[in-house]
Amino acid sequence: MDLPQQYVFTRVPAEAAPVLRACNQCPIRRECEAIVDPSHTWFDGVSGGRLWRNGREVKARKAAAARGRR
């Protein structure tokens, strides 16, 4: 799938949505997360089918609340 790089490395849940949908179909989600190691690299973006901000997973309800504040 050809997704713009800025959506992979976004901190904005709404922008990450297309990448997260693509991750749901990916056979290497666990390997992706293991290689990126978000919690130890303070990663921002999508890895392993989850959105990360400063190395912490952005939970779905937090993402929904953030969308409601805009």
Side-chain angles (χ1 to χ4, degrees):
M1 181 168 275
D2 189 26
L3 296 165
Q5 191 173 17
Q6 71 263 20
Y7 291 161
V8 175
F9 297 103
T10 187
R11 296 179 70 173
V12 180
E15 291 177 1
V19 180
L20 292 168
R21 282 192 299 275
C23 285
N24 286 333
Q25 301 171 19
C26 183
I28 62 163
R29 286 174 54 180
R30 289 184 187 183
E31 292 89 345
C32 176
E33 187 175 331
I35 290 168
V36 174
D37 196 12
S39 62
H40 290 101
T41 60
W42 292 65
F43 180 75
D44 286 340
V46 176
S47 175
R50 297 187 282 172
L51 178 61
W52 301 87
R53 183 178 298 150
N54 295 326
R56 294 186 176 160
E57 182 181 0
V58 177
K59 300 291 184 185
R61 62 186 173 145
K62 287 183 184 177
R67 282 193 300 268
R69 283 188 239 138
R70 290 186 184 184

